[in-house]
Amino acid sequence: MPTRLPAKLLIYSVTVFLVAALLYPLFNIVTSAMIGEKGFNFDAFNQLFNTRGIKDVFSSTVIYALGSACFATLFGSLLAWINVRTDGEVKSVSGLIPLLPIMIPPIGSALGYLILFSPQSGSGNRLLRYLFGLDEPGPININTMSGMVIVTGLSLAPVVYLVVSAALKNVDPALEEAARISGYGPWRTVKLVTMPLVLPAISSIGLLVAIHAISSFSFPFILGTGAGITPISVYIYRLFSSFPARTEIAIAASILLLVIVYAATWFQSRLVKNGNFARVGGKFSAPSVIRLGRWRIVARALVFSYVALSVLPLVGLVIGMLQPFLGASSDQWGLANIHTVLGNEQSRSAILNSLKLGIATATINMTVIGTLLYFSQSMMRRSNWIDYALMSPSVVPHIVVGVAFAVAYSTSPFNLQGTLTLVLLAYCVIFLPEATRSVKATLSQLNPELSEAGHVFGSGPLRTFFKIVLPQARGGIVAGWLVVFFVATNEVTASSFLGGFNSMVVGYVAIDYFANGRLGEVATIALIATLVTSSVVLVIRKLLLADQPHN
């Protein structure tokens, strides 16, 4: 229709702008790494591969990513099986497990574990040595590859839990019933029927978790620094932050990381497409529950232990906030770090700027993406390409975005180096996928008959959107806003490149303080940021629920 042409052009223009905001800096760093004074060349990559210790960087990355993925996949799948298919389910906890990763930001979680289980001075280790009469150091050493793998795996296990639990719920119970009729016991049925049906889902999410681990920064930086372990994400940061900065090699490493992640993501998408996933039966019958007998106590203990381990870093952050230095005795504890942080203009600005950026990012992304997806679906027959375009940042590691934006937008004609505008632009691009997922999930739950009724009675597209669609979608939009707000406020990786003296954010200041050994102040900043953001989420959620009609 002619009247819809301007709206379609606007939809195309906004989508192209959002994608270009990411593609331009990526194209910029690729060309800067491959095109120099001598024309097209691979000098930057030659320098990268000839750098001393690069083999250790690659081997550490592979071991760390695969180890974290295997631990998270096994542990998350076990939790899902216990809570979905056995009598060891803990209903009061099962709904909490998916929320645990965002309760504490990664840098706060990593630092909390370090404060507790540093081999020499960790408060948890000191308590264990006192209780069991052990000699120093240890008994737990978090500054090892195994420590990094376990901690990262614990943080990623809920992602596996969500996918595997959904797959287990979708298994056709008739198949398991047929196996039992044929004489298979419960454990043999799990092994020969249930597991093959959910194995594609487990394999797919395991690969996705490995992709997340490859580009992880906070855990290897906080925990690997003391052990001399340097995965590629930390390696890129150190190349950029060294003096003089080795920008060309850092860009080459970023491009290599991007290629690896993109290839792994493509393989994962093919695995999802070709996988023989759990079948959903046409006639519903509740799946049988496996009775664990004496193992029921062990299963429940495992679930509660996971929750305790996930919340434990908060204890570490509180202890770190009270300690003047790592390993200080309890009679030296006090509130000096709180006074230092709150009395420091730099720290206060970082916390305030992070909150502003979180609010701005969530508001911009949810408003733009919500409007864009709604009108594209209602006006276009084929709008899947818009979904794919908006999800494209999900295959780009945050550290690569940080490098690309720092290189591309800090020079003419933009000249945004060290500004909050640059950080906000990066956040808006990085968290497009989170906003897109939330909006798509919300739109899929809307009742189209109400919108159609509005059109029948003469309501135009805008009136229908504001009077009919928004009231239905309000809960989902607010939920998506809270997710984007929380992850944007606590972002660390890209912030470590884009932050500066005029654009202090929590991630930038925390990394800078940690590098200078100011652990107590890092713990205080991380704890304050966690409490403030959690309070905002809880208050908004409570106001939303209080405003909902009661049946």
Side-chain angles (χ1 to χ4, degrees):
M1 292 182 182
T3 55
R4 293 191 174 187
L5 183 59
K8 288 185 178 181
L9 289 176
L10 182 60
I11 291 172
Y12 290 141
S13 300
V14 172
T15 305
V16 170
F17 173 79
L18 292 174
V19 176
L22 174 66
L23 293 183
Y24 167 73
L26 293 179
F27 177 77
N28 184 281
I29 63 170
V30 170
T31 54
S32 65
M34 296 185 178
I35 300 177
E37 296 179 356
K38 301 177 182 179
F40 188 83
N41 62 78
F42 290 94
D43 290 347
F45 292 94
N46 290 332
Q47 293 181 51
L48 172 65
F49 291 121
N50 290 325
T51 302
R52 182 180 179 182
I54 192 64
K55 292 183 180 179
D56 293 335
V57 171
F58 288 142
S59 62
S60 297
T61 303
V62 171
I63 295 172
Y64 172 65
L66 292 181
S68 300
C70 290
F71 184 86
T73 303
L74 291 173
F75 201 80
S77 300
L78 180 60
L79 289 175
W81 179 73
I82 289 173
N83 280 299
V84 174
R85 285 307 185 92
T86 75
D87 61 350
E89 176 190 11
V90 185
K91 293 184 179 180
S92 59
V93 173
S94 58
L96 179 64
I97 291 176
L99 300 177
L100 291 175
I102 64 172
M103 287 179 60
I104 309 173
I107 191 168
S109 182
L111 185 63
Y113 282 119
L114 179 67
I115 292 171
L116 288 174
F117 300 115
S118 176
Q120 296 287 350
S121 307
S123 299
N125 275 329
R126 293 169 61 195
L127 177 61
L128 291 174
R129 289 196 294 265
Y130 172 78
L131 292 175
F132 297 102
L134 302 175
D135 296 326
E136 294 188 13
I140 299 174
N141 186 357
I142 203 71
N143 295 120
T144 61
M145 178 62 77
S146 58
M148 288 167 49
V149 164
I150 292 174
V151 169
T152 307
L154 288 173
S155 71
L156 294 173
V159 180
V160 179
Y161 173 87
L162 282 174
V163 174
V164 176
S165 59
L168 287 170
K169 291 175 183 177
N170 288 335
V171 169
D172 189 350
L175 300 175
E176 296 175 315
E177 188 64 28
R180 285 190 291 270
I181 293 175
S182 301
Y184 286 18
W187 295 105
R188 194 178 181 192
T189 300
V190 171
K191 178 181 177 181
L192 299 179
V193 178
T194 307
M195 284 301 299
L197 288 172
V198 299
L199 188 59
I202 294 176
S203 303
S204 174
I205 193 59
L207 181 57
L208 185 62
V209 167
I211 295 170
H212 281 291
I214 289 174
S215 54
S216 176
F217 175 75
S218 296
F219 287 110
F221 180 77
I222 297 294
L223 301 178
T225 298
I229 301 173
T230 308
I232 190 168
S233 59
V234 179
Y235 182 69
I236 293 171
Y237 169 78
R238 289 178 177 158
L239 288 172
F240 232 98
S241 59
S242 62
F243 184 81
R246 305 171 71 181
T247 307
E248 295 81 6
I249 301 178
I251 290 175
S254 301
I255 295 172
L256 182 63
L257 176 60
L258 178 63
V259 171
I260 293 172
V261 170
Y262 185 83
T265 304
W266 177 85
F267 182 74
Q268 189 262 351
S269 65
R270 300 297 299 177
L271 185 63
V272 172
K273 184 176 180 180
N274 299 326
N276 180 25
F277 287 94
R279 295 174 55 191
V280 180
K283 184 178 180 180
F284 174 80
S285 59
S288 60
V289 174
I290 298 177
R291 302 194 177 280
L292 299 177
R294 73 180 72 177
W295 291 99
R296 183 184 182 189
I297 297 177
V298 177
R300 290 195 166 183
L302 186 66
V303 174
F304 283 114
S305 296
Y306 172 74
V307 174
L309 286 173
S310 299
V311 179
L312 194 60
L314 279 177
V315 178
L317 290 179
V318 172
I319 293 175
M321 179 184 67
L322 297 175
Q323 289 181 329
F325 54 88
L326 186 62
S329 58
S330 57
D331 58 343
Q332 295 176 295
W333 291 9
L335 303 178
N337 286 320
I338 298 178
H339 295 304
T340 301
V341 168
L342 295 181
N344 188 324
E345 177 65 24
Q346 189 180 62
S347 302
R348 293 200 309 270
S349 296
I351 296 171
L352 185 59
N353 287 339
S354 290
L355 288 173
K356 291 179 180 178
L357 289 169
I359 293 172
T361 303
T363 303
I364 293 172
N365 277 20
M366 293 305 297
T367 301
V368 173
I369 302 305
T371 306
L372 184 66
L373 289 182
Y374 170 74
F375 283 106
S376 66
Q377 291 181 8
S378 61
M379 293 183 177
M380 299 177 182
R381 293 182 179 179
R382 296 181 179 180
S383 60
N384 289 338
W385 69 272
I386 295 179
D387 298 344
Y388 295 139
L390 297 177
M391 291 297 295
S392 58
S394 62
V395 301
V396 184
H398 291 193
I399 198 163
V400 176
V401 175
V403 172
F405 275 57
V407 172
Y409 291 121
S410 297
T411 57
S412 180
F414 303 101
N415 297 319
L416 296 176
Q417 182 177 6
T419 65
L420 288 176
T421 302
L422 179 58
V423 183
L424 177 61
L425 178 61
Y427 283 6
C428 288
V429 171
I430 287 173
F431 299 114
L432 277 178
E434 282 76 8
T436 302
R437 293 189 192 100
S438 300
V439 171
K440 287 185 66 177
T442 300
L443 293 178
S444 67
Q445 297 175 353
L446 298 182
N447 186 353
E449 295 178 357
L450 297 177
S451 298
E452 293 172 2
H455 292 311
V456 169
F457 285 97
S459 178
L462 289 177
R463 184 179 177 85
T464 301
F465 178 71
F466 285 105
K467 296 293 184 180
I468 297 177
V469 175
L470 279 184
Q472 294 183 77
R474 182 183 58 180
I477 291 175
V478 172
W481 188 96
L482 292 174
V483 171
V484 176
F485 164 77
F486 201 98
V487 294
T489 303
N490 294 298
E491 206 283 330
V492 172
T493 309
S495 304
S496 62
F497 291 91
L498 302 175
F501 290 109
N502 297 320
S503 55
M504 293 290 179
V505 290
V506 168
Y508 176 83
V509 171
I511 293 297
D512 181 61
Y513 283 6
F514 179 83
N516 289 283
R518 299 162 66 177
L519 300 189
E521 293 175 51
V522 180
T524 305
I525 292 174
L527 189 59
I528 291 175
T530 300
L531 294 177
V532 171
T533 51
S534 299
S535 299
V536 172
V537 170
L538 292 175
V539 169
I540 293 179
R541 184 174 181 272
K542 184 176 181 179
L543 292 175
L544 176 68
L545 293 177
D547 197 34
Q548 295 290 328
H550 298 279
N551 295 327

